[in-house]
Amino acid sequence: MNNKFTLDNSLLVKLLNDESFIRWLDGRVSDREQKKWDKWFLENSRHRELVKKARKITTMPFVDHKPADLQKELKILEKKLNNLTKEHG
Amino acid sequence: MFIQISGQNKSTDESINDIDKLWKGIREGRSESLSGLFCISYSWLFNYGFKIVPKEDFIKDTIQELFLNVWKRRDGINKAISVKSYLFSSLRRIIMRRLQKQRNRTQRNHSYDENHFKEIYNIEEVIIHFETSKEKKEQLKLAMESLSERQKEAIYLKFYNGLSNNEIAEVMGINKQSVYNHVSKAIAEMQDYVT
């Protein structure tokens, strides 16, 4: 079951630590990077499989704690800023 | 406040540009830029802070303190390489300092550290996401739970907030190699379940 030490898994770890690869995965790369990774992707089926795995890991669903009232917090901040301005003339 | 499951919170190039423009505005003394940055960053700062200390009012206060500090120090702040990592690391420092003060005041050892990055993934959702078999469900649950707090924090900053390893190192106050190690170990735990 444990396949942590295969070559592909080592490569997956390496890829997910590569900022350029992550940018490509997210679709926010420069043209030059885009071409480089597109070429790499098409080189062989192993790479396509790695991309599939990488996407699975980077898009894992996180728990999101959503704050209730941003406008209320913004008003508090603006009031504090006003007080600060008054204090300092 | 309510809790929901979410995908990534990564900045696009456009939003990074917006953040940089607002940062410039703050340095030039425009309070509306501070309000703008507050609105853009509030959600991801709150989420990050809440994972360190799961107390809503406490985190709201620390975010207020963070932005007041930014405003007070606007003349001295430099053109930060990454505004996002600057905000994360400043918030983290404020939280840690407040926790330390509380500990000193109460002289009790119990702390929020027990909850620090306890839950970043919803296990049930992750099981669906990985399309894993029922047999592997418990193993996956154990694998998720076995991640250390540091590993969870690193992958949360990386995959949810889109920070680079350099930026994560700055936020967590560790070196880049340690970030690489934390991220790599966490990936090694997860990749067995990717079909």
Side-chain angles (χ1 to χ4, degrees):
Chain A
M1 205 283 300
N2 194 325
N3 60 347
K4 282 176 191 143
F5 302 107
T6 66
L7 188 62
D8 275 3
N9 284 351
S10 300
L11 188 54
L12 185 63
V13 167
K14 204 176 161 191
L15 286 169
L16 286 172
N17 275 294
D18 185 326
E19 315 296 352
S20 172
F21 176 78
I22 296 283
R23 282 197 295 275
W24 176 72
L25 214 53
D26 293 342
R28 49 189 176 99
V29 275
S30 65
D31 288 347
R32 197 171 57 85
E33 283 176 313
Q34 181 82 45
K35 278 179 192 163
K36 176 193 148 188
W37 287 111
D38 285 353
K39 185 173 176 279
W40 174 87
F41 178 74
L42 294 169
E43 267 171 15
N44 63 53
S45 58
R46 242 181 82 224
H47 291 175
R48 290 193 283 280
E49 194 56 35
L50 279 165
V51 169
K52 193 180 155 196
K53 282 187 173 187
R55 270 193 214 287
K56 276 276 183 187
I57 288 176
T58 60
T59 58
M60 280 171 71
F62 287 93
V63 174
D64 195 12
H65 303 278
K66 209 166 178 62
D69 195 348
L70 173 62
Q71 286 308 314
K72 189 180 160 196
E73 289 303 307
L74 180 62
K75 278 183 184 163
I76 293 170
L77 178 70
E78 288 175 342
K79 197 178 169 188
K80 285 178 180 173
L81 285 178
N82 280 336
N83 291 340
L84 200 66
T85 309
K86 281 177 194 166
E87 277 173 29
H88 295 85
Chain B
M1 194 206 65
F2 61 93
I3 294 172
Q4 65 180 30
I5 310 304
S6 171
Q8 290 78 6
N9 187 30
K10 290 172 187 171
S11 305
T12 61
D13 286 347
E14 200 176 320
S15 70
I16 288 169
N17 282 341
D18 287 345
I19 291 170
D20 289 341
K21 277 180 197 164
L22 291 168
W23 193 246
K24 188 170 176 278
I26 292 167
R27 291 168 63 227
E28 290 168 357
R30 286 199 282 271
S31 63
E32 65 272 21
S33 295
L34 188 80
S35 300
L37 185 63
F38 184 85
C39 292
I40 285 183
S41 59
Y42 195 80
S43 173
W44 33 266
L45 287 172
F46 182 88
N47 262 283
Y48 177 62
F50 198 83
K51 284 179 176 57
I52 301 174
V53 181
K55 291 196 169 231
E56 189 176 348
D57 288 342
F58 180 94
I59 298 306
K60 282 179 176 176
D61 281 350
T62 57
I63 296 174
Q64 291 282 344
E65 185 181 335
L66 164 64
F67 278 86
L68 273 181
N69 286 347
V70 168
W71 187 248
K72 284 180 195 167
R73 296 169 190 164
R74 65 188 182 279
D75 293 333
I77 53 175
N78 56 17
K79 191 183 172 188
I81 296 165
S82 162
V83 176
K84 205 167 176 179
S85 62
Y86 175 86
L87 293 175
F88 275 120
S89 57
S90 301
L91 182 69
R92 195 181 200 275
R93 268 196 302 276
I94 294 169
I95 291 171
M96 294 307 168
R97 199 189 60 232
R98 284 190 177 206
L99 288 178
Q100 189 59 47
K101 266 189 189 172
Q102 281 184 3
R103 274 182 220 130
N104 292 344
R105 205 165 39 230
T106 58
Q107 292 293 309
R108 283 184 293 190
N109 287 328
H110 77 267
S111 70
Y112 292 103
D113 290 355
E114 291 162 20
N115 292 318
H116 185 167
F117 277 85
K118 197 169 186 178
E119 269 182 25
I120 57 168
Y121 291 118
N122 179 298
I123 299 292
E124 294 304 318
E125 290 289 326
V126 169
I127 287 161
I128 295 165
H129 177 78
F130 276 169
E131 300 165 40
T132 194
S133 64
K134 280 182 184 174
E135 294 75 42
K136 279 191 172 182
K137 187 177 167 178
E138 276 309 306
Q139 290 167 7
L140 176 57
K141 200 174 169 183
L142 287 172
M144 295 288 104
E145 286 168 358
S146 75
L147 298 179
S148 73
E149 290 173 355
R150 290 257 162 181
Q151 287 166 7
K152 287 178 190 169
E153 187 169 0
I155 56 170
Y156 176 76
L157 289 168
K158 189 175 183 70
F159 297 142
Y160 183 79
N161 290 294
L163 298 192
S164 67
N165 284 10
N166 273 338
E167 290 171 324
I168 296 168
E170 189 187 325
V171 174
M172 293 176 69
I174 55 179
N175 62 43
K176 196 180 169 186
Q177 183 59 45
S178 299
V179 175
Y180 185 95
N181 294 343
H182 287 316
V183 169
S184 302
K185 281 178 189 166
I187 294 167
E189 285 297 335
M190 291 186 274
Q191 62 191 358
D192 281 347
Y193 303 94
V194 183
T195 50

